[in-house]
């Protein structure tokens, strides 16, 4: 058998298969506006800077997406769609690997951090952040913008 799963890998995938649906069910059932009271951070980076970060609104978007409100999920953060698709893909991959007893992907690729790869990652994050800010400002998403933030007056006229 090629690429057999070790007992530790099997255990890790089994834990992931147990935790992932619980997390998605939790995100589906908990009202995100009520969850703000127990969140450990008093303010988000969007509240401080005035502009949304890359993941601002993702929890609300995943909640809406899991409840079938696709337009609402797209309004709050479009990254909820690839996030949920990735979670479902991992669930299917890990379930298949446990059933067949072998790794599908072989050895996981490792990322070599060089100046070029770090710069590419930084530029990709800057592009994603710029897109999030553009979408929030152009669609007047008051839930994600803070007029008293530091950067708000520089970007929004």
């Amino acid at each position: 058998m090629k690429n057999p799963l070790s007992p530790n890998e099997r255990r890790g995938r089994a834990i992931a298969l147990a935790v992932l649906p619980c997390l998605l069910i939790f995100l589906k059932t908990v009202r995100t506006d009520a969850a703000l009271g127990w969140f450990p951070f008093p303010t988000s980076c969007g509240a401080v800077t005035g502009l949304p970060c890359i993941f601002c609104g993702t929890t609300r978007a995943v909640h809406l997406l899991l409840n079938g409100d696709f337009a609402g999920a797209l309004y709050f953060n479009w990254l909820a769609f690839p996030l949920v698709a990735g979670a479902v893909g991992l669930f299917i991959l890990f379930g298949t690997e446990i059933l067949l007893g072998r790794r599908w992907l072989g050895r996981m690729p490792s990322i070599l951090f060089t100046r070029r790869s770090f710069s590419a990652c930084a530029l990709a994050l800057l592009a994603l952040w710029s897109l999030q800010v553009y979408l929030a400002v152009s669609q007047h998403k008051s839930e994600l913008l803070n007029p008293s933030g530091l950067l708000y007056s520089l970007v929004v006229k």
Side-chain angles (χ1 to χ4, degrees):
M1 184 185 308
K2 189 176 179 184
N3 294 328
L5 277 177
S6 71
N8 285 339
E9 290 173 324
R10 185 179 293 273
R11 185 174 22 261
R13 283 162 173 74
I15 290 170
L17 284 177
V19 169
L20 191 59
C22 294
L23 181 64
L24 290 176
I25 290 170
F26 176 76
L27 285 173
K28 180 181 179 355
T29 56
V30 171
R31 287 187 30 236
T32 53
D33 56 347
L36 294 176
W38 54 264
F39 195 66
F41 305 109
T43 58
S44 68
C45 63
V48 174
T49 64
L51 302 174
C53 65
I54 295 172
F55 296 108
C56 280
T58 304
T59 306
R60 287 178 278 188
V62 169
H63 173 76
L64 293 170
L65 180 61
L66 294 174
N67 284 300
D69 185 0
F70 300 111
L74 189 61
Y75 173 80
F76 279 108
N77 196 329
W78 63 274
L79 290 173
F81 291 91
L83 183 71
V84 170
V88 170
L90 274 178
F91 187 80
I92 292 169
L93 175 70
F94 286 170
T96 306
E97 286 182 345
I98 286 176
L99 285 175
L100 298 178
R102 69 183 213 70
R103 280 184 259 134
W104 277 92
L105 297 179
R107 202 175 121 230
M108 293 300 291
S110 61
I111 298 172
L112 180 63
F113 283 106
T114 62
R115 278 189 192 159
R116 182 176 288 184
S117 66
F118 182 75
S119 298
C121 287
L123 285 174
L125 288 174
L126 181 64
L128 276 175
W129 179 69
S130 299
L131 178 63
Q132 286 296 95
V133 169
Y134 171 74
L135 290 173
V137 170
S138 67
Q139 296 177 6
H140 307 290
K141 297 179 181 181
S142 59
E143 302 88 356
L144 302 178
L145 297 170
N146 179 14
S148 63
L150 301 171
L151 297 176
Y152 182 84
S153 60
L154 294 174
V155 175
V156 181
K157 304 259 182 206

